[in-house]
Amino acid sequence: MPTLDDVAKKAGVSRGTVSNVFNRPDAVRTALRERVEEAARLLGYGGPDPKGRLLKEGKFNAIGFMPPGAYAISDVVRSPYGRELLLGAAQACDAAGATLSLVNGTDETRTASIREALVDGFILGNVIDIELVASAKRRRLPFVILESDAGPEINSIRIDGHCGAIAAARHLLGLGHRRFAILSIRRAAGAPIVHMPGKSGRELMTGFALDHERLAGFRDALAEAGLSIDDMPIIETTPGDPGAGAAVFDNCPDATAIVTMSDWQAITVLDEAVRRGIDVPDQVSVIGFDGTAEAARTIPPLTTVAHDIAGKARMAAEMVLANGAPRQVVLPVELTLRGSTAKPRDALAPGKRQPAKPPRP
Amino acid sequence: MPTLDDVAKKAGVSRGTVSNVFNRPDAVRTALRERVEEAARLLGYGGPDPKGRLLKEGKFNAIGFMPPGAYAISDVVRSPYGRELLLGAAQACDAAGATLSLVNGTDETRTASIREALVDGFILGNVIDIELVASAKRRRLPFVILESDAGPEINSIRIDGHCGAIAAARHLLGLGHRRFAILSIRRAAGAPIVHMPGKSGRELMTGFALDHERLAGFRDALAEAGLSIDDMPIIETTPGDPGAGAAVFDNCPDATAIVTMSDWQAITVLDEAVRRGIDVPDQVSVIGFDGTAEAARTIPPLTTVAHDIAGKARMAAEMVLANGAPRQVVLPVELTLRGSTAKPRDALAPGKRQPAKPPRP
DNA sequence: AGAAAAACTTGGAGCGCTCCAATAAATGTT
DNA sequence: AACATTTATTGGAGCGCTCCAAGTTTTTCT
């Protein structure tokens, strides 16, 4: 690869002049410029390599987007939620003329990616462990984390999950539901993990997970109605896992309402219901979380706890780009009522519901 | 911002040693390493800035994706076709551990973006003018263009649009349709442009546009049936423009079939049909192009000329990453029959169809 | 024509880091 | 204790470019 220097040598001028020919052409006399251009052409030099300039200028004019949890960047594109996040970030980048870099990172390489990403700042999809935040901080670039709060020093934007969960639960309770199955979010890839009532620990509600808050909201709303979340089965599934529906219907045959932590989970439940001939909402109500565009297009359309996902990501990107004082933003949610929730009907009406199977060990 | 040098000075060691502390920690004796780490901590130095390394190593480990036509990156995320492209590119990047950079560029800044993008190569969404290809070539990085062929020197991947259009047209002709309205693709943003038969030039079939080929396919299939494309209205619209449907129904009230160049166009037509109470496929057949996931979920599901969009983008990304000898790939298409096409019924059955309006000037 | 002003060129000093040959220090051997 | 090995550390040369003060040439003006 020829460099600026090579061209300068060939044209018999200095490096600076060649730089001018490409960057400030009218600061160079025509004859000379043409000579330089000719030399560049001869050498196959296509103009200054941005690498050099970069070092000088110090800015990439790019922000990085690091997928939430254990997701790869293709998972982000595939997921309804991830797509809207991407859309919002892209809008902000469009407006700022910046590049949006989808930064790749598996669980092991994630901190390395943060250390080395060629960006001016980044958006961290919701973070599982505090270590990631620490390494982001070490990088000393602006960043914002989504769906977690890491204190007043760190930019964060999250929704009011507690409130959203309460709204969802009250809605279902108001319809008369008393037996719930809860789909919580499993971060790592893998099969659903079933926690039946009374069984294994309920320490799901701790830690840095985005559904901590939401579960707490359900718990509180349930408590208002004299119910305990400890009596409800909780199943951890990875959003988008097509096995989620099966895990629910197999393990919780008498639940009249299925509450989820993401629309994508709810959508897979809906799919499985169709497969099993279970009518939603006639036999079982399903409620989503997020308010993705897809939720409006399912059959039946999904009742969901909606928020402005793209707006959230747009704000995040703008915060990164602006690089101002740290802020913690909590966005409102809104319960969007659609067709997937209704009053419970006798859950065991003969012939209409598939026979209860014993819960798996 | 402290640099490696500052740390070295503060710790009283050389730059190289500090570099080792961060990159090859066990090549430095413990005591010294700790002294260096302490100095770094004191200075708030968070590790080597990737900019420096970059210059040395010369690789970004990233590929750029430049949106087709006049689209912004948010348009790509928004469009069903763009999303699948993104998905495929993301899959390839996941596999290679590379970053996918969505490179921003308006019409004016596009060549500048190509000149300056901080990537090792790029995918160019379908290109309108040859000038873009020239500037990509000048950059001397591997790149592939989608949906165009720029000769044997340039990587390109496109589908067999001619064949696809013929299949679509034959299908409709076989059903008995004789009066078509054709939606062609308008590249720039803007309102639909209506070309009624006999009116304004038909030079749509020239140039570097992706629908050149497809129009030619329709023309040829129509000719087989003794019809001329010159007798059919052609309307140029930007995919996703919600006005597309109105433009068709207003201007071509007696078409029994609407052929489009993209699913997104077809979907907006479907939406407008619902709005006007026009039954698809009872009153008018609609056919898409691309085979996006969305096309399967419309009501009625869309008959479309499908291809593996994500696979195409994946291949493109792999070609960029591999940086091998130039190839030109033509991918097969497949007519996917669904519910949006059927036999024409008398197009002007009274009371069922909205009265024909005169075409707009 | 000569001086002053304007226009153009140059060369060097970075930008922050990595790599490597050379040097220095520690450890091992007889 | 003298020497050979092994292990640590250093300093300089890039990587490709931009910026700028200083120097040179050309143009303009009297």
Side-chain angles (χ1 to χ4, degrees), chain A residues 11-12 31-32 70 208 269 284 345:
Chain A
L32 226 206
F208 215 10
V269 170
V284 63
R345 91 137 87 168

Side-chain angles (χ1 to χ4, degrees), chain A residues 34-49:
Chain A
E34 277 164 1
R35 199 165 93 226
V36 171
E37 279 165 349
E38 174 65 8
R41 224 181 38 69
L42 252 40
L43 258 53
Y45 179 77
D49 184 328

